[in-house]
Amino acid sequence: MSSRELAGLRQRWTTYRDLAALTEHWYWRAGRHFYTWHLTFQEQPDLHRLVTDLQHQLQFPGLDLVPIDGLHLTMQGLGFTDEVPDGDIEAIVTEARQRCAGLPPLDLSLGPVDPDAEGIGLLVRPWSPVERVRAAIRAAIAAVWPTVPEPADGFRPHVTIAYSGAPAPTAPIRARPAELRNLPAVTATISEVSLIALYREHRTYRWSTQATAPLNGRGPRHAEAQAARGDQ
């Protein structure tokens, strides 16, 4: 684990131990759909088993467990669907596919448990490849729009497994995540980044996939490398 990932994890645990109450996560009202780029984890059985095991031990009032088919890593928002023209979406997807095509699939480690005031997640590492994919998405947006939504800084890759559904006291909850800190991480390979239309359904996120940008390492640099090796 890199020094910045480890430092961040330690800092969040220290903050969590001193936290008196959770912060309710559900500030986004139901009924609206939002365009955003995510990594999703549909066919990751090792991750699904780990999350199922963890969630079995995290059934506390105040925590809303994330459905297995709702696991995601938020990458980059665009805007509410009724405010973004279809033509802009098509142009951004085209640009994103061109930029992501040269990036390899992401080989990620998920774990250990990584809590904060709005929920309990899994640490994702390494960060650098995920940040490169996000930078490619942001460059695609910048090719279409004069301003890219959301700050470039402050991004922290993580996968939430339980959101805080109310400003509940942390004392009854705090000990359980600490007991789960040493469970081994699992790995997942992600070969595309998805543009989704995200919405709230009761106390969980759902979405419909609008487009994908493959991560297959087959951009110009990949072709040059093949030529240098004499690959056919």
Side-chain angles (χ1 to χ4, degrees), residues 18-31:
D18 296 335
L19 195 66
L22 299 174
T23 300
E24 183 175 358
H25 173 78
W26 303 113
Y27 44 81
W28 180 17
R29 70 176 176 85

Side-chain angles (χ1 to χ4, degrees), residues 25-26 62-66 72 118-120 160-165 205:
H25 173 78
W26 303 113
L63 289 181
D64 295 328
L65 304 180
V66 176
H72 62 276
E118 291 192 24
I120 297 173
T160 301
I161 63 173
Y163 288 109
S164 58
Y205 289 121

Side-chain angles (χ1 to χ4, degrees), residues 112-195:
V113 170
D114 186 4
D116 62 27
E118 291 192 24
I120 297 173
L122 298 175
L123 180 71
V124 174
R125 52 189 171 97
W127 287 355
S128 293
V130 181
E131 290 167 335
R132 283 193 289 271
V133 174
R134 184 171 187 257
I137 295 296
R138 289 182 62 85
I141 298 168
V144 179
W145 288 348
T147 303
V148 179
E150 303 179 354
D153 298 332
F155 174 66
R156 176 174 65 88
H158 65 284
V159 173
T160 301
I161 63 173
Y163 288 109
S164 58
T170 57
I173 302 172
R174 191 183 302 121
R176 187 58 53 82
E179 294 170 357
L180 302 173
R181 285 184 69 178
N182 295 322
L183 287 180
V186 298
T187 58
T189 299
I190 306 299
S191 58
E192 63 184 18
V193 56
S194 299
L195 175 67

Side-chain angles (χ1 to χ4, degrees), residues 100-118:
C100 289
L103 299 175
L106 297 168
D107 293 318
L108 303 177
S109 172
L110 293 104
V113 170
D114 186 4
D116 62 27
E118 291 192 24

